[in-house]
Amino acid sequence: MLGKGGGGGGGGTRAPKPSFVSYVRPEEIHTNDKEVTEKEVTLHLLPGEQLLCEASTVLKYVQEDSCQRGIYGKLVCTDFKIAFLGDDESTLGSDETQFKNKVVGENDITLHCVDQICGVFEEKKKTLCGQLKKYPEKLIIHCKDLRVFHFCLRYTKEEEVKRIVSGIIHHTQTPRLFKRLFLFSYAAATQNRTASDPQNHAVMFDTLKDWGWELERTKGCLKYKAVSVSQGFQACKRLPTYFVVPIALPEEDISRFQGHGIPLWCWSCHNGCALLKMSALPKEQDDGVLQIQKSFLDGIYKTIHRPPYEIVKTEDLSSNFLSLQEIQTAYLKFKQLFLIDNSTEFWDTDIKWFSLLESSSWLDIIRRCLKKATEITECLEAQNVNVLLLEETASDLCCIVSSLVQVMMDPHCRTRFGFQSLIQKEWVMGGHCFLDRCNHLRWNDKEEVPVFLLFLDCVWQLLHQHPPAFEFTETYLTVLSDSLYIPIFSTFFNSPQKDASIGRESQDAQSNSLNLLTVWDWSVQFEPKAQTLFRNPLYVEKPKLDKSQRKGMRFKHQRQLSLPLTQSKSSPKRGFFREETDHLIKNLLGKRISKLINSSEELQDHFREFYDSWHSKPPDYHGLLLPHLEGPEIKVWAQRYLRWIPEAQILGGGRVALMSKLLEMLEEVRTLQEQVEERRHSQAARPAEVPPAPRHSTRLSSLFPFALLQRHSSKPVLPTSGWKALGDDEDLAKREDEFVDLGDL
Amino acid sequence: MWWGGRGQSFNISPQKEEPEMGLSRPKSDQGSRMPEPRSQPSSCLASGYLPGEQILAWAPGIRKGLEPELSGILICTNLRVTFQPCGWQRSQDIPVSSEYDFALVNIGRLEAVSGLSRVQLLRPGFLLKFIPEEILIHGRDFRLLRVCFEAGGLEPQAFQVTMAIIQAKAQTCQDQQYAGITLSTAGQSSGPRKPPVPLLETSEDWEAERKQQGARGWRVSTVNERFDIATSLPPYFWVPNRTLDSEVRRAFGHFHQGRGPRLSWHHPGGSDLLRCGGFYTASDPSKEDIRAMESMLQAGHSDVVLVDTVEELPSLTDVQLAHMRLRALCLPDSSVADDKWLSALEGTRWLDYVRSCLRKASDISVLVTSRVRSVVLQVSWPPAFAPSPSLNPERSDRDLNGLLSSLAQLLSAHEARTLLGFQSLVQREWVAAGHPFLTRLGGTGGNEAPVFLLFLDCVWQLLQQFPTEFEFSEFFLLALHDSIRVPDTLTFLRDTPWERGKQSGQFKSYTQVYTPGCPHPPAGNAVNQQLSVWDWGLRYSNKQIQQFHNLGYDPEHCPDSCFPRQQSSFMVPGPPKSVWLFSRGALTPLNQLCPWQDSSSLLAVSSRWLPRPAISTESLADQEWGLPSHWGACPLPPGLLLPGYLGPQIKLWKRCYLRGRPEVQMGLLAPTISGLQDELSFLQELLRKWPPGLSSEDHSEKRDPNTILSQPC
């Protein structure tokens, strides 16, 4: 291994290998000789994981910039991950190790997390795929969680290079079969292990009981019922095993178009209004079939327009809302801002940061999603109508919009348990095709659209704007977005009956026989101490109402239900703007309104009124929550997107600083409360002095807990003349000679 | 959580604020918003108005846009436009209201609305041809006042008050009489009062400050006591101990505007931060002069770095243009669509300038902290000796040097981050150092450039980035931001310390005329009687002043300046061992300190230092500490902050700039923290006072059930 030679006195003694054109001068390679020689890092394999190929003497760049530093180690590829085994774990501080993922290490890349692989051939970068004729001297791996790895293969044996590069490319870039997912080999290997009950973490919605519980919770049980396709119907490909439909819906209609064209219940609002979704009927050319479809739909609409159902407003998400194509293009552009190969590149783009950000239009897409959700919230909350979301498959934009509406309207969805249940209900059971959208199987790159990430980003905006309203933190969201690519959890590797070769029966059989893990069991990935970072210290649980109050609420609620068709336009809200209907307001606000909505004018007024009146009042964090939609309020989710860029961290700063202060205070309050409690019980006099709570002395990085373990480096645009050499006054004389020598050269 | 009305500068719920401010108002009619029977407003003006202030016109109206809507009277005087809510009365103590007053100088745009037409009013020779239904006053401090006039026979008054505002505004523009109004608070306090912040107008102040900084090698020079070296310099400043006043006098003449090298700040680790104007290259200094200059620049250190404060920083014109664009962007009716907001923001370039200032300041703080040396902020070191002064006259020691020096101090020492420390920092580096506030804020009709506002924005960025490192809060910065055009104290209404001092002589007569019943202070105490902007009680209520404190401040976080470095053996005899010019983020060696060619220069720094190849692109911090980049967290010296200045890290100060657009306002977490802090102190108190043997029941009941932590966590 390189780096064995040479004592402590500078690397100049190490000679570069003559067979390679070296542009990394060996003396610049900062390797800690002792550790390389003495510490052999072992590969940690998960149960069922198999080592496929490996290469030694690979140099991993610590930070790819002009001062190239690296660590030597072994690059391995298994059927689960690509891993680099180096020795740089020794630099981990105690605070950082606290947030260690138990499944995926710092230098591990799961195969599903690989986004793009580039090779460097004689200083030229090329994307690698398929069969290679020539093997690169440097490998650049872009990950879907926006990490960028640089591996130098120049000092590696040629056959090892061939094996590792083609192995990595084959296992990350070629299509694979569903049954070949690591998920199953892992589950098979851990069969004897007793998994914790998933119901502790989230409502899984895989039984009728779960749906019944949700209906009961939202008081939707009066008008909607949970059904199951196995109840004597023929299997419908589009439908989950269990779902909820209006009670009045004729049962034979459900299976008529394989689940297309029937309204599925998502959620009921406190006033009885419901959010429904429906996938469009297949497009037909034949007039006769069209006629049948039309009369079928008419029948459906008649059913759900009749009492006891409220008036239904249809919201067609596939025609005048976002397209998946737009989302894909925007994210491709957006992520390029963060997937940077070296710091110099970052500095080049930095000066135009805002316009680059804007031109990606990712933030605008977020804004449009939040706005759509706000509009629907207004319909449910203020106009007292049911909303029916329409989409071709009802499993992409429908999932975003309906989950956002629930996060905004239902405080239960802002707890961790509720949020996990929501994802389980709307996304996992709702049939969002994670396999295609995350391109887990590498079948079709065009299908890869970060729909779920878009949802998480929208939730992050809400969380960022109203921190006390959420039980979980942004760290939780970031970790959740990372878990999308860890193939040991079935949650995001659950194909909704797409694969014809695997029928529902066989898949279910496979899943049932195996002991599949759910991502909601966070203890698989994180120690309890690390999990405390998921809990928002600012969140306060809803104060429990006493019984009399609760009774009153229920009574009121039922009364509302009995009068479904009286269009009780929430009258108190009406008055709010009445006096402001003078010309000026129209004139002043008109411009802003037109910016916000593009539908008819009356709707705009309703929406604007609703939006303004909510924002003019102090928010109730246990009630309705609306986002700010203005230009300055939609932000970049810095923790997720910037966490691997060392320049972007602020030592001892950022929200983290405030948070850790808060946590400290919480801890102090807790110990004090304990002491008070103790005194109350034991009346014995104790020393009155309060021991000070232990304080963090380290300054955390603003990107904590993800910060790369690098010091903030403030890079000047132009190179500084090296003055590092200028040491203390004593050795000035010594050094002067060196400088003379340099000058002579 | 933002529970004050939207668009307001303070996080105080309006219901609570009112009874506090309007002491005379009976509690019973608090709920009713009906206008009271209107009395002639001059009667309520009898109290609480400024000396020399006259009411020109008034009209009843309703304030809109902010929560809550208030009915009251819009009054125009010869100094300000004020909206006086019904039942609210100015107290004698707080004659200027931060909430309801608009100084005439502050009015940036005036619009009248009638029906669908909306007219800009502040054009020369404009005649109002209709009776306005509503008037919109856009402040240059980004505030907005919207008053809707009442109909029903009072239309002529609406017309009058609008015309009065136009005329009064025009008059202030013509006169440029910024008299500065002072108030006598002598009636309330007996004896000479001590200003809340040392005003640095006496040599005692300077001496005390010097001692506090521990600058042992320095002394207070009285050479400018009569302002004969420079009117823009303070009467006292710090020079090296062994430099004679006669040397100072001679040396200063060779600097631009007579602003020679003075100590700005002594770093506890031993370094000195100096600032001076550019070399006046046309002059012809003698050998002794050069020797004096060099020893003043060297300040006894063996390592001297001259920092070029022109390169990479915006010019004054740039700052002014950017600020104007920013103001246009933040107008409530700005036509920028939400999805184009970011590029519009970038187009103002304001954030770009904020970023370059932070970056430069960060480099300077690294220079000062990393080793013991003398760091001199200088406008521009001429690259070659040029016979004609190539200095841009608008760039002097009085603008960006102050900004950089203050920022560098904020970054490197936590003393400057306290409330008192920051105020004295501004007083020293801006007010006393002769920043031309009046000109830069548009008071003299030219060379306007809000450098000070740029500075406040930079400080806000730091506050954002390090929310636990500053004792003062965003509200304090806002209050300072809003105070720069309030005509009650002279702090920001003069260009030089000389003018400020000249004026304070006249104030004695003011005091005598308007407070005949008060015991007159002896004339010698006139200086002490002078009020400054730091007398916050003039404009802000106690409740507001309480919010100046940052609840997240964690003073224990930074241990007392335990600099491991030994105090340098001060006053190294002989020439400096190395001289550098820091420009464009790079250090280049210089072979002499002063640009004049003089073979007998003390500095025999050999030229073999010169041809140094640029071999490293590492950051200054990396170079200074020479640390491997994978070093763990916290290798920085205690107290030093390294700010972020990348695109994603620089933010828009929404609470300040978007006040005219209340729909964009967002809140802080303040109540949560304050709730926690209350809980903490309650519990601590409880434990401390716990009498042995007493039952705890009564104690536990005292706990506020609304405290956010009433449930055990």
Side-chain angles (χ1 to χ4, degrees), chain A residues 355 654 711 714 720-723, chain B residues 346 465 587 612 619 623-624 635:
Chain A
S355 40
R711 227 161 35 75
S714 40
T720 34
S721 60
W723 72 333
Chain B
E346 182 180 277
Q465 292 184 7
L587 284 163
R612 295 288 301 281
S619 76
Q623 295 169 46
E624 281 292 270

Side-chain angles (χ1 to χ4, degrees), chain B residues 42-256:
Chain B
S42 55
S43 64
C44 46
L45 286 179
S47 68
Y49 270 58
L50 301 166
E53 187 167 12
Q54 293 159 1
I55 293 177
L56 302 174
W58 61 276
I62 298 168
R63 189 183 72 168
K64 296 274 185 122
L66 302 177
E67 298 285 327
E69 277 182 11
L70 295 172
S71 64
I73 308 167
L74 185 73
I75 302 166
C76 173
T77 76
N78 58 340
L79 293 169
R80 59 182 159 178
V81 176
T82 185
F83 179 79
Q84 186 159 324
C86 285
W88 178 79
Q89 204 159 24
R90 252 166 231 287
S91 69
Q92 187 78 41
D93 302 339
I94 311 173
V96 185
S97 156
S98 61
E99 164 125 38
Y100 302 118
D101 278 3
F102 269 69
L104 284 177
V105 218
N106 185 28
I107 297 176
R109 204 165 77 154
L110 192 65
E111 285 170 319
V113 180
S114 172
L116 284 170
S117 61
R118 194 157 170 225
V119 191
Q120 234 284 44
L121 296 180
L122 284 181
R123 277 172 288 164
F126 179 81
L127 274 173
L128 190 58
K129 293 196 184 90
F130 57 88
I131 290 171
E133 289 171 5
E134 177 157 338
I135 185 168
L136 286 98
I137 302 172
H138 297 273
R140 306 209 305 181
D141 58 1
F142 297 89
R143 285 190 302 155
L144 168 68
L145 180 63
R146 252 176 72 191
V147 177
C148 193
F149 293 116
E150 281 175 33
L154 291 166
E155 289 86 353
Q157 275 184 313
F159 186 80
Q160 277 167 15
V161 80
T162 313
M163 287 310 289
I165 295 173
I166 300 172
Q167 277 158 10
K169 167 79 185 155
Q171 228 144 38
T172 44
C173 288
Q174 281 164 12
D175 295 359
Q176 288 162 18
Q177 274 297 308
Y178 287 68
I181 292 104
T182 41
L183 304 141
S184 166
T185 51
Q188 280 101 48
S189 64
S190 54
R193 64 177 265 293
K194 205 170 163 282
V197 169
L199 296 181
L200 297 169
E201 283 169 358
T202 62
S203 60
E204 290 82 23
D205 283 354
W206 284 89
E207 183 59 24
E209 179 70 27
R210 186 192 69 79
K211 279 197 180 125
Q212 203 188 335
Q213 291 189 6
R216 273 179 296 156
W218 298 82
R219 65 179 181 86
V220 177
S221 167
T222 55
V223 70
N224 196 35
E225 213 160 15
R226 304 198 162 274
F227 296 103
D228 49 352
I229 289 185
T231 51
S232 72
L233 283 177
Y236 313 97
F237 45 80
W238 299 313
V239 295
N241 263 341
R242 57 175 189 176
T243 310
L244 302 174
D245 271 356
S246 57
E247 287 177 320
V248 173
R249 188 179 290 274
R250 285 215 311 273
F252 273 39
H254 302 295
F255 287 88
H256 194 69

